[in-house]
Amino acid sequence: MPLASDLAPRFAQTDAPLIGALVERWSPRAYDRNAVVAPETVQVMLEAARWAPSANNSQPWRFIVAHRGTPEFTAIHDALMGFNQVWADSAAVLIVNLVETADAEGRERPFAAYDLGQAVAHLSVQAQHLGLHSHQMGGVDRDAVKAAFGLGETLQVLSVIAVGVPGDVDALPEALRERELAPRTRLALDEIVLRSAA
Ligand SMILES: Cc1cc2nc3c(=O)[nH]c(=O)nc-3n(C[C@H](O)[C@H](O)[C@H](O)COP(=O)(O)O)c2cc1C
């Protein structure tokens, strides 16, 4: 595992003091492929997701959790696309993030994706607080995941999140190493706040 001082250059350069987990969170591609994350630790992360807010408290989020070394992990990894295939198998855990798109009466849930995003944000911040890192991926073959797990019509796969312990950046293929070390950027606040009346 890298020293904390090795990770510090990846921290967010924030214009205001934020809570530690938000400053320290970023999305690594280099994971320690020997690091194990206990199921109990994943439960804590899922508990954070469970307590996210959602439209009408509908809680449309669903998850498929797979630890490295299981057939389920292999099935999720096989469904990842492009560069995600190259790095994500060294994460300790892969979690598929899904939504139940309609309620029990068949009514569409217009905020389902929004709600899932919040739940995954909670999960990722809790993971960070526990000293783990995470990396969300939209680059996944949704049909392949649905087929692998026999998922029904109303379940929609939106993303996968990898969770693990950061590893050796120099072990990545060069194209990924470059991305891993590229400066982290964000739009300025005055670009994202369209109007602020005080
Ligand atoms: C919905 C979503 C989909 C993403 N898809 C991918 C992906 O397929 N592959 C990847 O390497 N990163 C993916 N990312 C990670 C983003 O590229 C990353 O969060 C962004 O560049 C900001 O970097 P940071 O998380 O390190 O701050 C995704 C993130 C989100 C939220």
Side-chain angles (χ1 to χ4, degrees), residues 1-2 10 19 21 31 39 41 45 51 55 61 69 74 76 93 106 110-112 120-121 125 138-139 154 165-166 177:
M1 180 173 173
R10 305 307 295 161
I19 60 172
Y31 287 94
T41 306
M45 291 158 38
W51 282 98
W61 42 70
T74 304
I76 300 168
V93 182
F111 291 103
V120 176
V125 172
T154 62
V165 173
R177 187 178 170 277

Side-chain angles (χ1 to χ4, degrees), residues 152-185:
E153 281 287 292
T154 62
L155 274 173
Q156 190 183 348
V157 175
L158 281 189
S159 61
V160 172
I161 184 167
V163 179
V165 173
D168 182 6
V169 177
D170 293 330
L172 287 172
E174 189 49 31
L176 288 178
R177 187 178 170 277
E178 264 176 38
R179 291 183 189 202
E180 193 79 342
L181 298 175
R184 298 183 63 216
T185 60

Side-chain angles (χ1 to χ4, degrees), residues 81-161:
M81 303 196 306
F83 275 131
N84 295 335
Q85 277 266 336
V86 178
W87 61 263
D89 61 340
S90 54
V93 182
L94 292 176
I95 302 174
V96 183
N97 305 312
L98 312 105
V99 282
E100 193 78 68
T101 54
D103 66 17
E105 283 75 46
R107 284 185 300 252
E108 284 297 307
R109 289 175 163 151
F111 291 103
Y114 185 98
D115 294 337
L116 176 68
Q118 291 217 65
V120 176
H122 275 216
L123 186 155
S124 68
V125 172
Q126 184 67 45
Q128 198 66 47
H129 182 71
L130 294 166
L132 298 168
H133 279 72
S134 64
H135 192 143
Q136 298 177 52
M137 290 166 274
V140 57
D141 181 338
R142 291 164 179 75
D143 293 337
V145 174
K146 288 194 82 164
F149 292 96
L151 304 176
E153 281 287 292
T154 62
L155 274 173
Q156 190 183 348
V157 175
L158 281 189
S159 61
V160 172
I161 184 167

Side-chain angles (χ1 to χ4, degrees), residues 22-85:
L22 290 178
V23 172
E24 293 161 17
R25 189 212 63 80
W26 94 95
S27 304
R29 295 167 187 82
Y31 287 94
D32 179 347
R33 60 174 58 251
N34 297 311
V36 172
V37 173
E40 297 75 27
T41 306
V42 178
Q43 289 295 108
V44 177
M45 291 158 38
L46 293 168
E47 186 69 6
R50 187 165 84 94
W51 282 98
S54 62
N56 216 16
N57 201 21
S58 52
Q59 306 164 65
W61 42 70
R62 303 288 182 269
F63 303 99
I64 295 173
V65 180
H67 289 253
R68 195 180 49 239
T70 63
E72 289 83 355
F73 184 100
T74 304
I76 300 168
H77 180 255
D78 285 349
L80 295 176
M81 303 196 306
F83 275 131
N84 295 335
Q85 277 266 336

